[in-house]
Amino acid sequence: MTPIASTVAFDVRWGECDPAGIVYHPNYLDWFSVARMRLLADYGLPYMTSFHDNGVVLVVLEATCSFKKVVRVDDHVSVRATLTDLSRTRMSVLYKVVDAAHQTCAVGHTHHAFVDLLDHAPVNVAKRCPQLWEKLSALWPKP
Amino acid sequence: MTPIASTVAFDVRWGECDPAGIVYHPNYLDWFSVARMRLLADYGLPYMTSFHDNGVVLVVLEATCSFKKVVRVDDHVSVRATLTDLSRTRMSVLYKVVDAAHQTCAVGHTHHAFVDLLDHAPVNVAKRCPQLWEKLSALWPKP
Amino acid sequence: MTPIASTVAFDVRWGECDPAGIVYHPNYLDWFSVARMRLLADYGLPYMTSFHDNGVVLVVLEATCSFKKVVRVDDHVSVRATLTDLSRTRMSVLYKVVDAAHQTCAVGHTHHAFVDLLDHAPVNVAKRCPQLWEKLSALWPKP
Amino acid sequence: MTPIASTVAFDVRWGECDPAGIVYHPNYLDWFSVARMRLLADYGLPYMTSFHDNGVVLVVLEATCSFKKVVRVDDHVSVRATLTDLSRTRMSVLYKVVDAAHQTCAVGHTHHAFVDLLDHAPVNVAKRCPQLWEKLSALWPKP
């Protein structure tokens, strides 16, 4: 099956680096967010209009990152986000950060739940937003 | 054995929250950093003078966080960091984020290696900085 | 007249510093936000319940900062925010960042307008939220 | 005279926005930094190798920003940085943030001094790094 995936390029910003001269590690999770939103947008599901404006938040349940190689100011990296799981209530994404020399700098994943924007209660997307679910489920056909 | 642990209180900042009105999740890793440095300082090992100025970086190998309960602007949380492993080349810390109602909002951990500030090569702290290792190892006696 | 002012203490975070080893300057504006919200809260006007939940945003029209002395990781600074102007549509605040040795590290100000949360149109607070205006105007009596 | 200027495009990140759904204003200063470094790099003076590795910091003396129009998640903006002053000890840059509809969203400037990386004392670039000054001064010929 063709992976559902998108890649975003980043020029490392001065302000993303710490006094050790390397990317401050929480910023990898920020890059993951950017890549995840690009993934959704690339497949016809821009986050703001498809989720947020429908009152659905893709809240993070778990985030992990393994750091393999330090990244410095002005380095060019790309982050590839790949959909790894999807249901009416959950979504998971895998991330790989690669530098200009094609070396893997970090690998991570995030697990998400769909929740209500106001009360943060779990949401069944198929019931709450059938049109959104139609598009989402098309990405991830049940075997 | 008495845990080697420290707790830091945080008033959630407006700028730490996202358009969903909740703390943007990478900021939990920033809080973990603050709590980890406080832990080191509380036990006589302030990071800048004990590590950084000796050319040793406590680089992050892996970071994880599980999010249990959303945290909002103006919420008061505390982050407790507990040392869970220590060797001449590695260190691990566990974190627990608790809100004002004593509910657990998040749990995470970070694994670290000691590396050289300039070339990022692994460092054996006992060899590189015997005085630093003397203090570190006193915290974590071998059984 | 007694100044309407509040002071917040900050322990400089590792993640707030850049590869030059000093506080990355945009973070001063973040500290100003924290100090401004503390000022409002100290005078009975917590931002979330008094403004945000009433659909009023204290949008920034202008922000400036002059940097006098660099601040480093682990430095302790305090930021004093002083109300310098207030009307039915505008508010201005002055900030002074002082280090542990009482030296001035930075001085700045922000000018704000009250706008609607949804359409960002200017809001006359006295008309939109008379109760909020009652409290605000008590802080800043017309001569 | 042809302006010394560079433009950088930004897709506004989710994590750059606050609970009001708009870009958190300190992030404009971060964009200015990115644009300023791009400006230097475009004219043959990449910051890390030209300044930082020579022990020279382009410290910020003053930063200002006027906000004209709010910017939201997923908006596309471009930031144009233009050199407005340069001497052996100082540098100034003007910034203009424009959205996809060519409307001006913000205007700002930063004034900088060249200082030593270690002791933060003022540096005369012409004396300290003649080769760097040769390139810099070529950008900004005295009338």
Side-chain angles (χ1 to χ4, degrees):
Chain A
M1 201 177 95
T2 312
I4 306 297
S6 287
T7 302
V8 181
F10 292 88
D11 295 330
V12 177
R13 301 177 182 180
W14 173 262
E16 290 176 326
C17 295
D18 67 17
I22 60 179
V23 174
Y24 184 49
H25 66 280
N27 292 316
Y28 287 77
L29 296 193
D30 184 48
W31 295 349
F32 291 176
S33 288
V34 174
R36 181 171 62 250
M37 297 220 175
R38 177 71 60 87
L39 172 71
L40 291 170
D42 282 353
Y43 287 88
L45 293 158
Y47 186 73
M48 290 308 284
T49 51
S50 305
F51 294 87
H52 189 76
D53 294 348
N54 285 317
V56 177
V57 176
L58 199 58
V59 81
V60 182
L61 297 179
E62 187 180 276
T64 72
C65 190
S66 294
F67 305 90
K68 313 292 188 186
K69 190 182 170 213
V70 298
V71 176
R72 292 185 183 79
V73 181
D74 284 343
D75 280 354
H76 305 281
V77 297
S78 68
V79 179
R80 182 170 177 81
T82 305
L83 187 68
T84 54
D85 202 8
L86 181 69
S87 73
R88 286 166 173 79
T89 56
R90 301 283 178 101
M91 199 179 106
S92 295
V93 182
L94 176 78
Y95 310 88
K96 194 173 175 184
V97 181
V98 175
D99 67 12
H102 305 294
Q103 289 205 276
T104 300
C105 301
V107 173
H109 75 255
T110 54
H111 297 310
H112 303 264
F114 303 115
V115 304
D116 184 84
L117 177 60
L118 299 180
D119 66 11
H120 298 103
V123 158
N124 178 321
V125 178
K127 287 188 185 166
R128 170 76 168 263
C129 304
Q131 288 162 314
L132 172 53
W133 176 243
E134 201 177 333
K135 286 185 183 176
L136 271 173
S137 58
L139 291 184
W140 197 254
K142 281 236 166 158
Chain B
M1 201 178 95
T2 311
I4 305 298
S6 287
T7 302
V8 182
F10 293 88
D11 295 330
V12 177
R13 301 178 181 180
W14 174 263
E16 290 177 326
C17 294
D18 67 17
I22 60 178
V23 173
Y24 183 49
H25 67 280
N27 291 316
Y28 287 76
L29 296 194
D30 183 47
W31 295 348
F32 291 176
S33 289
V34 174
R36 181 171 63 250
M37 298 219 175
R38 178 71 61 86
L39 172 71
L40 292 169
D42 282 353
Y43 287 88
L45 292 158
Y47 186 73
M48 291 307 285
T49 51
S50 305
F51 294 87
H52 189 75
D53 294 348
N54 284 317
V56 177
V57 176
L58 199 57
V59 81
V60 182
L61 298 178
E62 187 180 275
T64 73
C65 190
S66 294
F67 305 90
K68 312 292 188 186
K69 190 183 170 213
V70 298
V71 176
R72 293 185 182 79
V73 181
D74 284 343
D75 280 353
H76 305 282
V77 297
S78 68
V79 180
R80 181 170 177 82
T82 306
L83 187 68
T84 54
D85 202 8
L86 181 69
S87 74
R88 286 166 173 79
T89 57
R90 301 283 177 102
M91 199 179 107
S92 295
V93 182
L94 176 78
Y95 311 87
K96 193 173 174 184
V97 181
V98 175
D99 67 12
H102 305 293
Q103 289 206 276
T104 300
C105 301
V107 173
H109 75 255
T110 54
H111 298 309
H112 303 264
F114 303 115
V115 304
D116 184 85
L117 177 60
L118 298 181
D119 67 10
H120 298 103
V123 158
N124 179 320
V125 178
K127 287 188 187 167
R128 171 74 169 265
C129 304
Q131 290 162 311
L132 171 54
W133 176 242
E134 202 176 332
K135 286 186 182 176
L136 272 173
S137 57
L139 293 184
W140 198 253
K142 280 238 165 155
Chain C
M1 201 178 94
T2 310
I4 306 298
S6 287
T7 302
V8 181
F10 293 89
D11 294 331
V12 176
R13 301 179 181 180
W14 174 264
E16 291 176 325
C17 295
D18 67 17
I22 59 179
V23 174
Y24 183 48
H25 66 281
N27 291 317
Y28 287 77
L29 296 194
D30 183 47
W31 295 348
F32 291 177
S33 289
V34 174
R36 181 171 61 250
M37 298 217 176
R38 178 70 61 88
L39 172 71
L40 292 170
D42 282 352
Y43 287 88
L45 293 158
Y47 186 74
M48 291 308 284
T49 51
S50 305
F51 294 87
H52 189 75
D53 294 348
N54 285 316
V56 177
V57 176
L58 199 57
V59 81
V60 182
L61 297 178
E62 188 180 274
T64 72
C65 191
S66 293
F67 305 89
K68 312 293 189 187
K69 190 184 169 212
V70 298
V71 176
R72 292 185 182 79
V73 180
D74 284 343
D75 280 354
H76 305 281
V77 297
S78 67
V79 179
R80 182 170 176 80
T82 306
L83 187 68
T84 55
D85 202 8
L86 180 69
S87 73
R88 285 165 173 79
T89 57
R90 300 283 177 102
M91 199 179 106
S92 295
V93 182
L94 176 78
Y95 310 87
K96 194 173 175 185
V97 181
V98 175
D99 66 13
H102 306 293
Q103 289 206 275
T104 300
C105 300
V107 173
H109 75 255
T110 53
H111 297 309
H112 303 264
F114 303 115
V115 305
D116 183 85
L117 178 60
L118 298 181
D119 67 9
H120 298 104
V123 158
N124 178 321
V125 179
K127 287 188 187 166
R128 172 74 168 265
C129 304
Q131 289 162 310
L132 172 54
W133 177 243
E134 202 176 332
K135 286 186 183 177
L136 271 173
S137 56
L139 293 184
W140 198 253
K142 280 237 165 156
Chain D
M1 201 177 94
T2 311
I4 306 299
S6 287
T7 302
V8 182
F10 293 88
D11 294 331
V12 176
R13 301 177 182 181
W14 173 263
E16 290 176 326
C17 295
D18 67 18
I22 60 179
V23 174
Y24 183 49
H25 67 280
N27 291 317
Y28 286 77
L29 295 194
D30 183 48
W31 295 349
F32 291 176
S33 288
V34 174
R36 181 172 62 252
M37 297 220 176
R38 177 71 59 88
L39 172 72
L40 291 170
D42 283 352
Y43 287 88
L45 292 158
Y47 186 74
M48 291 306 285
T49 51
S50 304
F51 293 87
H52 189 76
D53 294 348
N54 284 318
V56 177
V57 176
L58 199 58
V59 81
V60 182
L61 297 179
E62 188 180 275
T64 72
C65 190
S66 294
F67 304 90
K68 313 292 188 186
K69 191 183 169 212
V70 297
V71 177
R72 292 185 183 78
V73 181
D74 284 343
D75 280 353
H76 305 281
V77 297
S78 68
V79 179
R80 182 170 177 82
T82 305
L83 187 68
T84 54
D85 201 8
L86 181 70
S87 73
R88 286 166 172 79
T89 57
R90 301 282 178 103
M91 199 179 105
S92 296
V93 182
L94 176 78
Y95 310 87
K96 194 174 175 184
V97 181
V98 175
D99 67 13
H102 305 294
Q103 289 205 275
T104 300
C105 300
V107 173
H109 76 255
T110 53
H111 297 309
H112 303 263
F114 303 115
V115 304
D116 184 84
L117 178 60
L118 299 180
D119 67 10
H120 299 103
V123 159
N124 179 320
V125 178
K127 286 187 186 166
R128 170 75 169 263
C129 304
Q131 289 162 312
L132 172 53
W133 176 243
E134 201 177 334
K135 286 186 182 176
L136 272 173
S137 57
L139 292 184
W140 198 253
K142 281 237 165 156

